[in-house]
């Protein structure tokens, strides 16, 4: 018996019957091209493929809320991803679900995010004339764009969990639903933490009706939400928060939109970021040869608009600024020699 087979047997012995078992996966899109290895389950392999991908490494230089913050302690898409993964693993472990599947989904859920956060999404939506959704782009990254166009060939459960972490499509697995809820828990609370660091909020600004339910400080809010999700989900057999805590979380999110996400101080540079990405889009649309050679083959099957969108969506904040500077900002004259 291989190590993988023993791990799969352990899953059946130890996990909740409602868990997604590795040996019952619906498989990979190109299942004939590879066999499962001897020491890792399919979901463990998916996590490793994501973590070793270029798009994952770029998350460290992509905006979470504050555009290109100067402080070292503000969240990026990378740190957000890690926080989601930790919350998801805590909840799935307590519910007897498959931690490896939840981790893989969490690690891949934001791979399709644009530079400059949701400002980048808005910019590309305007360019395409239809909504650009980062969850759909994340699936596109792992299916097609990574590995020089070959994709990562992930399992069905991970791919659908990535697609369903936000939006109308709810993941089929409970592990995917846990990541969806963990994403909400993570971003609202760490965005408060960053807003306090930026001097935009204090803990005392949070309405009493919310803090009375969730807690007054960061650690208490996270603890309340995670514990409530575990206890409520155990009783319901589905991933849920209790009505009171769920309302408090929704109210907290609305408060954040009012005070932070639409705050002119916090988001004052977004209009510049949108204009910059739109000008980059126009430039590469008119000069497709300026894109890297690896993007050239895509134009034959995805069209120029989609290819330019993929290229810009994959940029980090700094890379987008550098390319904009290179293309649109005149260089100072200097004498060579």
């Amino acid at each position: 018996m291989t190590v993988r087979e023993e791990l799969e047997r352990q899953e059946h012995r130890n996990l909740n019957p409602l868990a997604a078992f590795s040996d019952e996966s619906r498989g990979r899109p190109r299942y004939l091209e590879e066999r499962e290895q001897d020491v890792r389950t399919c979901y463990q392999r998916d996590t490793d493929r994501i973590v070793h991908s270029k798009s994952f490494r770029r998350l460290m230089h992509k905006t979470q809320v504050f555009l290109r913050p100067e402080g070292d302690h503000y969240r990026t898409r990378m740190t957000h991803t890690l926080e989601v993964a930790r919350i998801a693993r805590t909840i799935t472990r307590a519910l007897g679900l498959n931690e490896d599947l939840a981790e893989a989904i969490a690690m891949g859920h934001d791979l399709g995010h644009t530079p400059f956060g949701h400002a980048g999404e808005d910019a590309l939506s305007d360019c395409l004339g239809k909504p650009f959704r980062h969850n759909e782009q994340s699936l596109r990254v792992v299916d097609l764009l990574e590995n020089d166009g070959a994709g990562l060939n992930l399992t069905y459960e991970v791919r659908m969990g990535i697609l369903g972490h936000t939006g109308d499509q709810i993941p089929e697995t409970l592990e995917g639903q846990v990541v969806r809820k963990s994403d909400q828990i993570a971003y609202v609370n760490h965005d408060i933490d960053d807003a306090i660091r930026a001097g935009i909020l204090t803990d005392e600004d949070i309405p009493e009706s919310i803090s009375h339910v969730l807690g007054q400080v960061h650690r208490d809010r996270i603890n309340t939400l995670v514990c409530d999700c575990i206890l409520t989900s155990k009783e319901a057999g589905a991933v849920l928060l209790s009505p009171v805590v769920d309302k408090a979380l929704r109210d907290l999110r609305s408060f954040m939109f009012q005070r932070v996400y639409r705050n002119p101080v916090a988001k004052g540079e977004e209009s510049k970021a949108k204009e910059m990405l739109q000008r980059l889009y126009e430039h590469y649309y008119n000069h497709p040869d300026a894109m890297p050679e690896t993007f050239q083959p895509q134009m034959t099957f995805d069209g120029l608009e989609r290819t330019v969108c993929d290229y810009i969506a994959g940029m980090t904040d700094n890379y987008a600024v550098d390319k904009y500077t290179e293309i649109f900002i005149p260089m100072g004259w200097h004498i060579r020699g």
Side-chain angles (χ1 to χ4, degrees), residues 6 80 130 181 194 197 206 220 226 238 240-242 274 276 293 304:
E6 176 56 30
H80 162 73
K130 60 182 180 182
K181 187 62 65 180
D194 281 354
R197 181 171 291 107
I206 297 173
D220 292 339
V226 169
L240 300 168
L241 293 172
S242 65
K274 289 177 62 176
M276 181 174 66
E293 289 185 7
L304 182 55

Side-chain angles (χ1 to χ4, degrees), residues 39-305:
V39 297
R40 292 175 295 170
T41 67
C42 58
Y43 301 140
Q44 291 172 338
R45 291 182 71 194
D46 283 357
T47 297
D48 291 341
R49 291 181 180 192
I50 291 168
V51 170
H52 286 90
S53 70
K54 291 184 288 186
S55 52
F56 183 81
R57 293 194 293 273
R58 291 196 298 267
L59 293 176
M60 106 172 82
H61 298 299
K62 289 196 175 189
T63 289
Q64 174 60 28
V65 172
F66 296 93
L67 272 63
R68 305 178 76 200
E70 294 182 359
D72 292 334
H73 300 136
Y74 289 94
R75 267 75 169 189
T76 64
R77 285 288 160 195
M78 173 74 79
T79 51
H80 162 73
T81 293
L82 296 176
E83 291 186 36
V84 172
R86 293 311 306 162
I87 291 172
R89 291 200 67 155
T90 297
I91 295 173
T92 50
R93 185 184 303 118
L95 295 177
L97 301 176
N98 196 318
E99 290 182 57
D100 294 326
L101 173 55
E103 182 177 38
I105 296 170
M107 289 300 188
H109 82 282
D110 267 358
L111 294 180
H113 247 299
T114 62
F116 308 113
H118 292 285
E121 278 191 285
D122 293 342
L124 292 183
S125 294
D126 292 343
C127 292
L128 291 173
K130 60 182 180 182
F132 175 95
R133 298 184 175 93
H134 75 270
N135 58 319
E136 296 173 358
Q137 186 70 12
S138 295
L139 181 61
R140 184 173 172 80
V141 167
V142 300
D143 277 357
L144 182 64
L145 301 181
E146 263 295 336
N147 199 20
D148 296 326
L152 300 180
N153 200 28
L154 303 182
T155 55
Y156 174 86
E157 294 77 14
V158 172
R159 295 170 57 247
M160 292 302 101
I162 289 173
L163 179 63
H165 83 270
T166 188
D168 296 332
Q169 184 169 329
I170 307 299
E172 300 167 27
T173 64
L174 292 177
E175 289 83 356
Q177 294 171 33
V178 167
V179 173
R180 184 181 174 101
K181 187 62 65 180
S182 299
D183 185 36
Q184 298 167 3
I185 292 171
Y187 80 73
V188 169
N189 283 284
H190 65 49
D191 291 351
I192 291 174
D193 195 39
D194 281 354
I196 291 173
R197 181 171 291 107
I200 294 171
L201 284 181
T202 67
D203 282 320
E204 289 70 30
D205 291 328
I206 297 173
E208 174 63 27
S209 59
I210 297 173
S211 59
H212 178 73
V213 175
L214 300 182
Q216 187 65 53
V217 296
H218 178 79
R219 63 178 179 273
D220 292 339
R221 288 189 292 267
I222 293 286
N223 186 65
T224 297
L225 287 160
V226 169
C227 291
D228 183 84
C229 183
I230 292 168
L231 295 175
T232 305
S233 300
K234 274 188 175 181
E235 295 179 3
V239 181
L240 300 168
L241 293 172
S242 65
V244 172
V245 172
D246 185 63
K247 181 180 184 304
L249 179 60
R250 286 186 281 109
D251 289 346
L252 183 58
R253 184 173 180 271
S254 297
F255 169 79
M256 288 296 290
F257 268 96
Q258 177 185 354
R259 292 292 301 272
V260 177
Y261 300 144
R262 298 193 181 109
N263 185 297
V265 175
K267 315 300 280 184
E269 299 296 299
E270 282 196 351
S271 61
K272 297 178 184 178
K274 289 177 62 176
E275 181 180 358
M276 181 174 66
L277 294 185
Q278 288 168 344
R279 289 196 67 187
L280 285 173
Y281 180 91
E282 293 169 1
H283 174 80
Y284 288 114
Y285 185 84
N286 293 319
H287 304 88
D289 292 343
M291 288 186 291
E293 289 185 7
T294 52
F295 280 83
Q296 304 302 323
Q298 283 182 231
M299 287 186 277
T300 62
F301 57 86
D302 281 338
L304 182 55
E305 287 187 355

